[in-house]
Amino acid sequence: MTDGYSLEMTAKDIDALGIAAPMVAPATPIAITFLPGETMDARIAAAIRVRELGFEPMPHLSARRITSHDELTAIVERSTAEAGVRRVFLVAGDPPVPVGPFADTMSLLRTGLFERHGIKAVGIAGHPDGHPAMKTAELWAALAEKDREVIDRGMAPLIVTQFGFDADPLLAWLGELRERGITAPVRIGVPGPAGIKTLLRFAAHCGVGATASVMSKYGVSLTKLLGTAGPDRLIDTLGKGITPGHGAVRLHFYPFGGLQRTVEWIGDYAARHNSRKKGVRPA
């Protein structure tokens, strides 16, 4: 289930990625977040380093944080020219009011900058747990519109979901996605191993369901907030529930407990899983 995974990082994680690199398969997609405290230069430097290490950089672009068309043009031109970027991930972003002319993903796509600069794939967001500012019907309509727009512009859509703790809504969402005729590959968001309080903090910030019953299925008791938790149960359940009918599905890891720690955990999980399949008890 962990084969062909992708990772998320910030510009500050360049050194950590260098340490983890020998444990990561060549050409692994590495998404680079668009945080408000990080400069364009820092993000592009991160994308360059990702490429130098033999991985596939996928910079995030947050529409509402981009101040002008000139800034967007500079981001796309420099990312493609300096880091060989071939895929991007587009989101509206958290600010309720845009700081520039772009309010959402569609406004970025309609500039035509991405196909003109050789972008081959565009990541768009999926929200199996819903979105605090949008109704379910609106989410599906927006996802279908973005999927069509990317295809019509000659690029390949890729859906990356918000992370979750419960496999059941993820599997139900995947099923509905395919029933609606959306065939784009999907990367299911998975939280990397982290402290329980850290996981709950990110869940609250991102509007992800983390009720007592959900966290119990994940392997966490909300009455005991000390210690750490990994996504073993979540990935086990996803592995059993995903079928050929769900189409192309892989995992995307959010390394809330650190990038190196997440990569080490993935390697350990894969080794344990392969040992069980072969009937060998892991050391």
Side-chain angles (χ1 to χ4, degrees), residues 7 13-15 28 57 77 101 111-112 123 187 195 254 260:
L7 288 165
D13 291 325
I14 291 178
D15 291 341
T28 292
E77 287 182 346
T111 63
R187 289 188 175 270
Y254 294 86
Q260 183 180 354

Side-chain angles (χ1 to χ4, degrees), residues 11-261:
K12 296 177 182 178
D13 291 325
I14 291 178
D15 291 341
L17 181 63
I19 294 170
M23 298 179 284
V24 181
T28 292
I30 309 289
I32 303 160
T33 57
F34 195 104
L35 297 181
E38 294 176 343
T39 65
M40 183 196 310
D41 286 342
R43 296 186 200 102
I44 291 173
I48 291 170
R49 185 59 177 149
V50 169
R51 176 65 71 198
E52 289 173 345
L53 289 169
F55 308 127
E56 190 67 36
M58 183 170 72
H60 287 207
L61 281 82
S62 178
R64 294 174 189 169
R65 296 190 189 280
I66 297 173
T67 59
S68 66
H69 193 280
D70 286 345
E71 182 184 1
L72 175 63
T73 300
I75 293 171
V76 177
E77 287 182 346
R78 289 189 59 192
S79 296
T80 53
E82 298 176 30
V85 165
R86 295 186 288 259
R87 61 176 73 187
V88 293
F89 182 69
L90 307 182
V91 295
D94 293 333
V97 178
V99 299
F102 306 111
D104 52 25
T105 297
M106 287 297 292
S107 62
L108 295 177
L109 284 170
R110 286 170 176 157
T111 63
L113 280 168
F114 303 104
E115 62 267 35
R116 287 203 300 271
H117 285 85
I119 295 297
K120 303 301 181 185
V122 175
I124 52 179
H127 297 89
D129 270 336
H131 190 286
M134 298 179 72
K135 297 179 180 179
T136 300
E138 293 172 331
L139 286 172
W140 283 118
L143 184 60
E145 183 182 30
K146 288 180 283 190
D147 178 69
R148 287 193 303 269
E149 186 75 16
V150 173
I151 293 171
D152 289 345
R153 291 181 175 276
M155 298 175 289
L158 167 66
I159 300 170
V160 183
T161 79
Q162 182 57 274
F163 71 93
F165 298 109
D166 188 353
D168 290 340
L170 291 170
L171 292 168
W173 180 88
L174 273 174
E176 184 168 356
L177 180 79
R178 301 316 186 197
E179 289 174 0
R180 288 174 174 269
I182 299 174
T183 60
V186 174
R187 289 188 175 270
I188 293 292
V190 173
I196 295 169
K197 290 183 179 179
T198 297
L199 292 172
L200 293 175
R201 185 174 71 251
F202 276 103
H205 175 74
C206 299
V208 172
T211 64
S213 60
V214 165
M215 297 310 291
S216 177
K217 292 169 69 175
Y218 189 73
V220 170
S221 170
L222 294 188
T223 62
K224 300 176 182 179
L225 298 182
L226 298 178
T228 62
D232 303 65
R233 291 189 186 181
L234 173 63
I235 295 177
D236 285 347
T237 306
L238 286 172
K240 294 174 183 176
I242 291 175
T243 70
H246 288 121
V249 180
R250 288 181 171 171
L251 302 181
H252 178 74
F253 284 89
Y254 294 86
F256 299 134
L259 196 149
Q260 183 180 354
R261 184 179 180 187

